[in-house]
Amino acid sequence: MSGIIKSSIARKVAMALSAFFLMIFLLQHFAINILSVFSPDTFNEVSHFMGTNPLVQFALQPVLVFAIVFHFVMGFILEIKNKKSRTVKYVKNNGAANSSWMSRNMIWSGATILAFFVLHFIDFFFPELNTKYILGDLSGMHNGEFKYYNELLHKFESPIRVGAYVISFVLLAMHLLHGFNSAFQSVGATVGRKEVMKKIGRAYAILIPLGFIFIALFHHFNGH
Ligand code: HEM
């Protein structure tokens, strides 16, 4: 029994650590993408630097891909284990009385983000990998100028794609509204500062996805 509890705590801590890495990634991803609104040239230069820097490409990016896969696989395992223990332990699951809607639906908001990743990687990540490592073109140029900003504008022309992105970012906000604090709680970092952590979590969970929505809508309506 204690073995099961121990490993379930270890699972939660591992989940939290991958979540921290992803939340830091999300902040830097936002910081770079918001540049596309204020200064396309700076956005192009920073994108080129990130896309060709060996430390980013061969150290940080593999860790990021691992963290994403780990977080999703672990999330599904946790959900299955929780479901099993729920049916055994509780006579009835009181739904809203026991937990928030967000916490009970982490698996669904997570699955939507996973679907978003498939679309997002097809949009940006895979073509970039193809250009760089299969075609061997590391210049970042197209028709004599940096391609990053123009590619972004091109992608956000489609209202269907922008709609899918916006829906995903709303689900991302929901996921973070529970996930941010849950991760800090798993490593004991909320002890003695529950209210402050709640406020920081809420601000992060709402402002970052809202910022991404702004970027997508901005380029959709201003790009052409
Ligand atoms: C308007 C919103 C967004 C824009 C414009 C955007 C743009 C981009 C671009 C241009 C790339 C390709 C970078 C490269 O050259 O390799 C990329 C990759 C990626 N994006 Fe986004 N992104 C947005 C939102 C998000 C969100 C909300 C997430 C996470 C929930 C995310 C996760 C990723 C990941 C994991 C990669 C692959 C790793 C990387 O290349 O850094 N993106 N994104």
Side-chain angles (χ1 to χ4, degrees):
M1 176 69 184
S2 72
I4 295 169
I5 292 168
K6 254 186 214 156
S7 71
S8 103
I9 289 171
R11 253 181 252 124
K12 286 210 86 173
V13 170
M15 193 69 186
L17 294 179
S18 60
F20 291 142
F21 187 83
L22 294 174
M23 289 192 290
I24 292 168
F25 160 76
L26 204 61
L27 257 187
Q28 75 86 29
H29 200 50
F30 175 72
I32 293 176
N33 283 324
I34 195 72
L35 290 173
S36 67
V37 169
F38 298 110
S39 170
D41 287 341
T42 316
F43 173 74
N44 272 334
E45 277 159 28
V46 175
S47 297
H48 187 61
F49 171 80
M50 295 296 281
T52 50
N53 183 283
L55 187 72
V56 175
Q57 292 300 302
F58 303 116
L60 286 179
Q61 209 161 60
V63 177
L64 173 65
V65 172
F66 174 78
I68 292 172
V69 174
F70 180 87
H71 194 77
F72 280 115
V73 172
M74 233 20 205
F76 280 103
I77 292 175
L78 270 176
E79 171 72 12
I80 291 164
K81 297 238 176 219
N82 284 346
K83 262 221 163 94
K84 268 191 191 153
S85 67
R86 236 175 266 150
T87 51
V88 174
K89 278 183 195 154
Y90 302 148
V91 179
K92 61 175 182 178
N93 182 7
N94 242 345
N98 293 340
S99 55
S100 73
W101 186 90
M102 248 87 76
S103 71
R104 277 178 283 118
N105 289 286
M106 288 302 274
I107 190 75
W108 296 114
S109 51
T112 310
I113 298 164
L114 186 60
F116 161 75
F117 272 4
V118 174
L119 172 67
H120 194 48
F121 281 12
I122 291 171
D123 277 349
F124 293 106
F125 192 42
F126 297 149
E128 187 64 19
L129 290 181
N130 180 51
T131 311
K132 280 192 301 207
Y133 303 117
I134 298 189
L135 303 177
D137 178 5
L138 289 169
S139 69
M141 309 288 274
H142 183 70
N143 287 341
E145 55 178 343
F146 270 139
K147 63 183 180 179
Y148 308 98
Y149 180 69
N150 290 336
E151 275 179 0
L152 202 94
L153 290 195
H154 175 66
K155 292 292 174 199
F156 288 116
E157 262 173 27
S158 154
I160 294 171
R161 182 183 277 106
V162 171
Y165 270 48
V166 169
I167 292 168
S168 307
F169 298 159
V170 171
L171 271 291
L172 175 65
M174 290 178 172
H175 198 75
L176 289 167
L177 269 172
H178 175 73
F180 186 100
N181 254 284
S182 174
F184 279 95
Q185 221 167 335
S186 295
V187 296
T190 54
V191 179
R193 41 176 178 261
K194 229 175 169 177
E195 285 311 307
V196 181
M197 291 304 290
K198 244 188 205 162
K199 278 185 192 148
I200 297 173
R202 217 171 282 154
Y204 181 99
I206 292 170
L207 291 179
I208 299 294
L210 208 59
F212 277 117
I213 291 175
F214 170 71
I215 296 170
L217 293 180
F218 180 87
H219 291 308
H220 180 66
F221 290 111
N222 286 280
H224 45 98

